[in-house]
Amino acid sequence: MAGTRTKAAVAWLASVAPDPGAVRREWARNPGGMALLPAGRRWDVLIVPGELGYPTLDVLTRLLDRPGPVLADFGESRMGFFVAPGTASRWVGTGIRGIGAGAWIVAPRPGSAVGGVRWLIPPDGSGVLTDAGLLELALHEAAASRGTRGGR
């Protein structure tokens, strides 16, 4: 089952690349490799500082069986929440960066971690994304709870 999910996730991620076959071949040859993928086609990514991202992910996982894909970067200082295409151009939020049409992300093959970049919630190939409205509410709740704990 996990192998089928990984294959579906690889196909879903690779489908946005200019040459999907090249991405699939590279990941097959080097499962620890990275792919440069364009945002804005099937998903945008909202980049959140790790100190806010982790509590936000905790809130989301309490509300949903499975949020959309989430990446963590080198040192886990930032997290990327996959949201619907077009979200990045409309998002207004201090300290949150939107990656959308015309921008690219670096992604490891689902099931692997490369140089510190890893999937916290890997894609499953179904196209499930985190709802931007729900993400915004989770960000607010996470920020508020951090404030009540003295910023920890």
Side-chain angles (χ1 to χ4, degrees):
M1 178 94 148
T4 303
R5 233 181 285 139
T6 298
K7 280 184 180 181
V10 165
W12 181 73
L13 286 168
S15 72
V16 301
D19 184 351
V23 171
R24 288 190 304 271
R25 285 188 300 278
E26 176 58 29
W27 275 339
R29 211 177 21 252
N30 180 10
M34 296 288 244
L36 190 58
L37 301 173
R41 293 183 182 171
R42 290 192 185 262
W43 35 258
D44 285 358
V45 181
L46 295 178
I47 307 296
V48 176
E51 64 270 5
L52 180 58
Y54 279 96
T56 299
L57 185 56
D58 287 344
V59 172
L60 284 173
T61 56
R62 283 194 313 264
L63 298 173
L64 302 169
D65 288 336
R66 180 170 167 63
V70 180
L71 275 174
D73 78 347
F74 306 98
E76 301 186 2
S77 62
R78 291 181 299 266
M79 294 171 60
F81 292 85
F82 281 53
V83 293
T87 301
S89 64
R90 297 184 309 269
W91 191 268
V92 178
T94 303
I96 297 173
R97 185 171 147 224
I99 307 293
W104 297 68
I105 66 157
V106 173
R109 181 181 185 277
S112 70
V114 181
V117 177
R118 65 188 180 100
W119 291 102
L120 298 175
I121 307 278
D124 63 5
S126 70
V128 169
L129 301 168
T130 298
D131 177 85
L134 189 57
L135 177 59
E136 182 177 12
L137 293 172
L139 284 161
H140 286 289
E141 184 175 323
S145 69
R146 284 187 59 210
T148 61
R149 292 191 312 255
R152 283 185 252 166

